[in-house]
Amino acid sequence: MADVLDTARAIARCRAAESARPAGERLFEDPLARLFAGDGDAGAEDAVAAFARVPFFAEQVRLRTRYLDDLVRAEIARGARDVVVLGAGFDTRALRLAEIARHGVRVHEIDFPEQHARRRATLDQAGVALPSYLRFLDCDLSHPDALANLTGPLADGACRPGSGAVFLLEGVISYIEDDAVERTFRFVADAGGPGSRIGFNYTASRFNRRSLASLLEAGGLNPVEDLDLAAVHRRYLPGEPPPGGDLFGIATAERR
Ligand SMILES: C[S@@+](CC[C@H](N)C(=O)[O-])C[C@H]1O[C@@H](n2cnc3c(N)ncnc32)[C@H](O)[C@@H]1O
């Protein structure tokens, strides 16, 4: 089983592959993804090999990335001025979505301290400066008190009154138990303020529409949209999706 930190390298590799497609065929461009791909690193190669066995895996990464990019852009257009990335890994939206800098949005990235250290070291080495509106917060989402402890620092100006926030939980649910997912939803409701939304993806083997709806309800959130990735493929790409899109779901929910 791949180390959980290294799973983010496999995702970065999918995003690097997307960025190498011709301009007219890309769903997004992530010029920094290649830096995080960990070519030749044993942990990264294990993670890439494990995910390569999952049908539709690379396809779902490109589709979910675009879906969540669009969510962030739409929420900024609706007035959100904070983006909170839970289990951020090597997410580069703070650096690549022009709307973030243009609208004075702050980005709060949450992950294990070791993952933040890897990210900083890689960007440092590449000479990429971290923008002042990006900050890293250490947290183990599985720890029962971790999110409660984060609410303070986030409320401390992070989720500005009336402006709402957009939260992302991308590629993370597979690594945390249901009670941690529920606490994370509750955290969004408590820390986010009115109008806040979360986008997250999940596997159909873990949740169905009903079980997900009851977890959202328990966490104080209402579903806004819940799609399988075959539907997301039809939204963004011509033709019929390859088999396997129904194995993956992606959803948006909002604070009740
Ligand atoms: C598959 S990667 C996805 C990274 C990123 N969200 C993306 O889509 O590129 C999973 C990330 O979740 C983080 N993660 C997993 N379990 C976590 C936990 N209990 N607390 C904090 N972060 C966690 C890992 O460290 C890793 O960076």
Side-chain angles (χ1 to χ4, degrees):
M1 166 110 172
D3 181 280
V4 69
L5 299 182
D6 290 322
T7 59
R9 297 221 180 272
I11 308 304
R13 213 171 287 186
C14 294
R15 295 196 182 119
E18 184 70 14
S19 306
R21 287 177 190 260
E25 293 175 22
R26 304 196 273 263
L27 290 175
F28 58 86
E29 192 174 5
D30 186 347
L32 297 173
R34 174 54 51 205
L35 294 176
F36 297 106
D39 294 325
D41 173 89
E45 299 305 334
D46 278 357
V48 168
F51 287 141
R53 291 193 285 273
V54 180
F56 205 80
F57 187 82
E59 194 62 17
Q60 68 97 14
V61 172
R62 66 192 289 247
L63 291 166
R64 82 186 200 203
T65 303
R66 170 60 182 269
Y67 176 97
L68 295 172
D69 282 0
D70 283 356
L71 176 68
V72 171
R73 292 191 182 104
E75 292 311 299
I76 291 173
R78 276 192 344 125
R81 291 295 175 263
D82 291 283
V83 178
V84 184
V85 190
L86 299 143
F90 306 127
D91 185 308
T92 61
R93 290 186 176 93
L95 295 152
R96 69 182 174 80
L97 296 189
E99 292 80 356
I100 288 181
R102 195 185 309 137
H103 293 277
V105 174
R106 291 184 301 201
V107 181
H108 317 272
E109 297 197 348
I110 292 170
D111 209 306
F112 295 113
E114 300 88 332
Q115 192 75 309
H116 292 318
R118 285 180 177 198
R119 154 92 77 121
R120 279 181 195 282
T122 302
L123 291 176
D124 255 18
Q125 217 172 9
V128 179
L130 291 175
S132 57
Y133 54 80
L134 170 63
R135 68 171 175 165
F136 299 132
L137 297 168
D138 298 341
C139 175
D140 176 354
L141 296 169
S142 294
H143 190 285
D145 302 325
L147 285 168
N149 293 339
L150 265 189
T151 306
L154 267 188
D156 233 10
C159 296
R160 288 168 269 199
S163 68
V166 54
F167 294 74
L168 302 179
L169 185 66
E170 182 183 10
V172 182
I173 283 184
S174 299
Y175 307 104
I176 59 177
E177 301 291 332
D178 283 9
D179 58 346
V181 177
E182 185 184 322
R183 281 196 304 274
T184 304
F185 290 159
R186 171 61 57 193
F187 170 70
V188 171
D190 291 345
S196 294
R197 289 190 167 181
I198 179 170
F200 59 95
N201 68 307
Y202 62 94
T203 55
S205 59
R206 175 82 178 271
F207 296 121
N208 57 36
R209 200 152 282 168
R210 242 175 83 195
S211 61
L212 190 61
S214 61
L215 210 55
L216 287 169
E217 161 89 29
L221 301 177
N222 282 335
V224 173
E225 180 173 61
D226 185 4
L227 298 171
D228 73 24
L229 272 279
V232 179
H233 185 288
R234 291 187 192 102
R235 175 178 290 182
Y236 292 123
L237 294 167
E240 271 305 286
D246 57 341
L247 300 172
F248 300 95
I250 194 154
T252 301
E254 72 184 355
R255 186 182 194 262
R256 204 162 40 229

